Amino acid sequence: MRNAARTKMIALVSLLAAIVVIYTIISGGRFVSPKNIRNILQSTVVVSLLTIGAGTLMIAGYIDLSLGGIGSMCAMLTAYLLKVDVPWPVAVLAGLAMGGIWGAFNAVLVNELRFQPFIATLATASITLGFASIISGGKQIDIFEPALKVIGGGRLFDFIPYSLIISLFALLVYGVMLKNTKFGRSVYLIGGNPDASRLAGLRPKRVSYLLFINAGCLAALAGILLAGRLQTANTVGISSSQFSGITAAVLGGISFGGGVGGMGGALIGILILSCFNNGMTVVDVSPYWQTIASGLLLLFALMVDFISTKNTRKFIGKGGSAK
Amino acid sequence: MKKLLRSSNTALLAVTVAILLVFYAFNPNFLSLENIRNIMNSMSFVGVLTVGMTMLLICGEVDLSSGAIACFGGVVAALLINSGVPWVIGLILTILFGAICGLISALMINRLGFMNFIATLGLMSVFQGAVALITQNKNIQIPVPDFWVIGSTTLFGLIPLPFVIMILLMVLYGLILSSTNFGRSIYMCGGNRYAARLCGINPKRVSSILYINNGALCALAGAILAARMHTASPVAGNNGALDAITAAVLGGVSFLGGTGGMVGCFIGIFLLNAFDAGLTAIGFPSYWQLVARGCLLVLALCLDFVSSQARRRALEQA
């Protein structure tokens, strides 16, 4: 099992390396110029935060399709509060809290009313995206608050974006939490076998509430950071990055069945996705190809998953017959 | 069981009528002939997608690429017909093209064992990108009036032909579901795949047929839409998959498979589109439709939850 995971990790890292090398050669070095590396890193921020939220939920066997909608709606709320002269820390906190509330809403639908996560969060996605437009009357709201501009788009030593530090820090914290804490292990257990985990004394319902709320807050953070950088909140917000988060998680080895994967893999998944898309622009491929490529990447990730679990299946099969 | 199913459809129908009356009370124009024709027109596109989606959902499968296939279908039809292919042959080729798109999903899901949800999500991206690439994100005009006929004919001055096509498809697939061996095997695969296999049904074959069928229906829907608009648009119907799922679930098709039928499916589509039209009729901005759609979906699932609880209690008492 561990062996299969390692094989897969090696495959992913080599894929990332191959992408970097190929783009560097085609672009004549422009791909690895400091400015472009910064662009790539900047573009990982929103996806990273969405991937953490979606990834932890997927490890526990859930899925959340509403993160894009929640992020857009919360960013819009923050922008609106700033417009009516609420102090920026309050506005940001209100945005994050609203993300938590939508997450809790999802958790209630899934846990109390036993909706399928897929379809429950689909409904939430629609509602939140609608609210994003309702708050602003269907227009965008410009943000003039300098603090948000600094957090969203400012750079440490004029090179490392603050928002990147936030997202990398979050990846690290969640990675450690998943691997080294009781709570983290319970997430894997619940994803692997919810019934067994309940019998073992864990509380799947509580964990699922926490994960949904957490994903909602992270999505809100992603939305607010992007709005801060662009100095405007618009009605579609981060909803187009929604599936990128899921794609990055799957690319990085987090399975849809739950119970496997981690933040290290997720980071590689995010980098593959971001490098791939950025490289397309650098070597001047039509942006339409990006859409095709992101789909192909996802299918490629599934293929890798298929091959690596095939080996595991064979291995388990042999072990079984030996007994 | 049959009675319960029928009663849930009746409840849904009652809700629909109540909603219609509320909209009518606010704005009498809501039930004008013109507006009813608009609702029929807007139903017919999503309706055909929902027929295919309903079949898949009953079998416990889902296809997120169906809107993208429909869009692709419209573009393919436009390209074929503009290049001089007679429109009937162009339409048939388009449907075949859709079937091939469905076949790709079927192979990935049933041969390679990909999760249906994520595989079709990937394909959705591929198809959308391919459409953007082919059309360079521009509309393609179809200056062939013969082809417009399937999209813009109106029967008896009221009923649009696309609506009639949708109804015919619903009747056809309703009969397949209720009165053929294949139809019953779809319910069995959705209800309990393992048991279905033990009964000698090949669930992979059933699921593959349904994916291919869904692809063909989607491409047909896209071609009809293009005929109605006289144009193939690179974005038309991109949300089709989610709309179709919403409509099907509204109509009582469970996301877990094994339940639902074409009558509920029809009511679901009607409710969805009537609600959109109604909100516009009483003067709400269009983005309220998004909120309303989400709320309708939650409401439908709540009804489903309540009725399944009641069913379980009835079973326990028996």
Side-chain angles (χ1 to χ4, degrees):
Chain A
M1 184 67 195
R2 175 160 287 178
N3 220 357
R6 199 186 301 146
T7 324
K8 198 166 151 186
M9 209 45 92
I10 293 171
L12 287 173
V13 175
S14 355
L15 174 67
L16 179 59
I19 291 175
V20 171
V21 170
I22 292 172
Y23 276 138
T24 308
I25 294 172
I26 299 180
S27 70
R30 261 181 303 141
F31 183 70
V32 287
S33 70
K35 188 160 171 251
N36 195 51
I37 289 177
R38 194 173 62 207
N39 281 345
I40 295 173
L41 293 178
Q42 181 83 66
S43 72
T44 61
V45 173
V46 168
V47 182
S48 300
L49 293 171
L50 292 179
T51 307
I52 297 172
T56 45
L57 276 167
M58 279 160 65
I59 292 173
Y62 298 97
I63 174 107
D64 192 338
L65 299 182
S66 65
L67 294 178
I70 292 178
S72 313
M73 190 258 176
C74 296
M76 193 58 94
L77 179 69
T78 303
Y80 178 78
L81 290 177
L82 288 172
K83 203 176 102 182
V84 295
D85 285 335
V86 174
W88 72 266
V90 180
V92 170
L93 282 180
L96 295 178
M98 184 49 82
I101 291 171
W102 284 115
F105 179 71
N106 280 332
V108 168
L109 294 184
V110 170
N111 288 299
E112 310 303 335
L113 297 171
R114 316 251 175 82
F115 293 0
Q116 284 280 304
F118 176 92
I119 199 92
T121 54
L122 187 65
T124 312
S126 189
I127 297 174
T128 45
L129 261 187
F131 270 122
S133 289
I134 290 169
I135 292 174
S136 67
K139 295 189 282 287
Q140 57 181 42
I141 302 181
D142 293 331
I143 297 174
F144 300 108
E145 174 60 49
L148 270 189
K149 191 190 169 197
V150 171
I151 299 174
R155 296 188 193 117
L156 185 65
F157 309 129
D158 213 21
F159 186 72
I160 309 167
Y162 290 119
S163 53
L164 177 70
I165 300 176
I166 297 176
S167 67
L168 285 181
F169 182 69
L171 274 173
L172 186 69
V173 169
Y174 282 89
V176 170
M177 190 198 72
L178 279 175
K179 288 285 175 238
N180 301 333
T181 68
K182 228 180 189 173
F183 180 75
R185 278 194 299 273
S186 69
V187 173
Y188 283 98
L189 264 176
I190 288 166
N193 189 337
D195 286 333
S197 69
R198 198 170 42 245
L199 293 179
L202 298 173
R203 285 190 282 179
K205 213 177 188 177
R206 201 174 124 237
V207 173
S208 117
Y209 265 92
L210 284 174
L211 292 177
F212 270 113
I213 293 172
N214 167 60
C217 289
L218 285 170
L221 180 62
I224 294 170
L225 286 178
L226 183 72
R229 179 156 68 93
L230 302 179
Q231 290 179 280
T232 178
N234 61 37
T235 52
V236 288
I238 57 169
S239 53
S240 57
S241 306
Q242 154 99 52
F243 287 126
S244 308
I246 293 173
T247 307
V250 176
L251 262 175
I254 296 177
S255 137
F256 252 97
V260 290
M263 287 300 136
L267 177 63
I268 298 176
I270 295 163
L271 285 176
I272 291 178
L273 204 65
S274 298
C275 286
F276 204 83
N277 283 336
N278 173 284
M280 290 272 184
T281 319
V282 171
V283 300
D284 257 348
V285 178
S286 145
Y288 308 133
W289 275 104
Q290 288 187 14
T291 320
I292 301 183
S294 63
L296 289 179
L297 265 182
L298 185 59
L299 296 175
F300 174 80
L302 288 171
M303 192 67 98
V304 171
D305 199 45
F306 171 69
I307 293 167
S308 63
T309 54
K310 197 176 184 184
N311 287 337
T312 317
R313 277 201 295 273
K314 264 185 208 155
F315 183 71
I316 292 174
K318 267 181 199 162
S321 62
K323 270 177 202 168
Chain B
M1 186 68 194
K2 207 162 221 178
K3 209 181 252 174
L4 269 170
L5 271 180
R6 205 180 298 149
S7 75
S8 80
N9 274 343
T10 341
L12 198 62
L13 202 57
V15 171
T16 311
V17 171
I19 290 174
L20 289 184
L21 288 178
V22 170
F23 283 130
Y24 180 63
F26 277 105
N27 182 354
N29 280 335
F30 177 61
L31 290 183
S32 67
L33 283 184
E34 184 63 26
N35 203 37
I36 290 176
R37 189 161 49 211
N38 280 342
I39 294 176
M40 283 184 188
N41 258 327
S42 64
M43 272 173 80
S44 55
F45 172 70
V46 182
V48 176
L49 296 192
T50 311
V51 170
M53 189 67 83
T54 300
M55 306 291 279
L56 281 169
L57 288 173
I58 291 175
C59 183
E61 302 279 4
V62 68
D63 188 347
L64 293 183
S65 66
S66 65
I69 297 179
C71 187
F72 212 161
V75 170
V76 168
L79 291 177
L80 285 172
I81 291 166
N82 283 352
S83 68
V85 178
W87 71 267
V88 179
I89 296 172
L91 187 65
I92 292 169
L93 288 176
T94 304
I95 294 172
L96 273 178
F97 173 79
I100 292 170
C101 293
L103 178 67
I104 299 174
S105 315
L107 286 177
M108 289 202 290
I109 291 157
N110 293 315
R111 276 293 161 84
L112 300 177
F114 292 0
M115 290 275 295
N116 50 23
F117 163 77
I118 197 86
T120 54
L121 183 67
L123 280 179
M124 178 182 86
S125 256
V126 174
F127 293 150
Q128 280 177 354
V131 166
L133 198 64
I134 293 172
T135 62
Q136 292 298 311
N137 253 352
K138 288 189 197 67
N139 286 337
I140 303 180
Q141 308 287 336
I142 311 176
V144 183
D146 289 347
F147 177 60
W148 300 348
V149 169
I150 57 163
S152 17
T153 314
T154 311
L155 302 177
F156 315 120
L158 174 70
I159 308 167
L161 184 61
F163 183 78
V164 177
I165 297 175
M166 178 194 85
I167 295 290
L168 287 178
L169 285 172
M170 283 184 170
V171 171
L172 173 68
Y173 282 90
L175 286 176
I176 292 178
L177 278 176
S178 61
S179 334
T180 66
N181 279 338
F182 181 70
R184 275 192 296 276
S185 68
I186 298 174
Y187 281 102
M188 282 208 70
C189 292
N192 187 335
R193 235 186 148 90
Y194 185 65
R197 200 168 57 232
L198 293 184
C199 293
I201 296 168
N202 182 352
K204 287 188 171 176
R205 192 171 143 258
V206 174
S207 133
S208 297
I209 292 174
L210 292 181
Y211 273 108
I212 295 169
N213 168 61
N214 181 55
L217 285 176
C218 291
L220 173 67
I224 296 176
L225 184 68
R228 177 152 67 87
M229 300 295 179
H230 307 180
T231 307
S233 145
V235 289
N238 266 347
N239 285 327
L242 298 189
D243 288 349
I245 293 172
T246 308
V249 173
L250 264 177
V253 180
S254 159
F255 207 67
L256 289 174
T259 58
M262 282 301 149
V263 178
C265 166
F266 174 78
I267 303 175
I269 300 158
F270 181 68
L271 186 57
L272 200 66
N273 286 281
F275 213 88
D276 279 358
L279 283 177
T280 315
I282 60 176
F284 275 93
S286 63
Y287 38 78
W288 276 95
Q289 290 175 0
L290 278 174
V291 177
R293 185 163 297 184
C295 293
L296 272 179
L297 192 54
V298 171
L299 186 75
L301 291 166
C302 282
L303 285 178
D304 193 46
F305 176 69
V306 172
S307 74
S308 71
Q309 292 285 58
R311 216 173 302 156
R312 196 174 307 152
R313 227 169 291 139
L315 275 178
E316 275 167 10
Q317 274 171 7

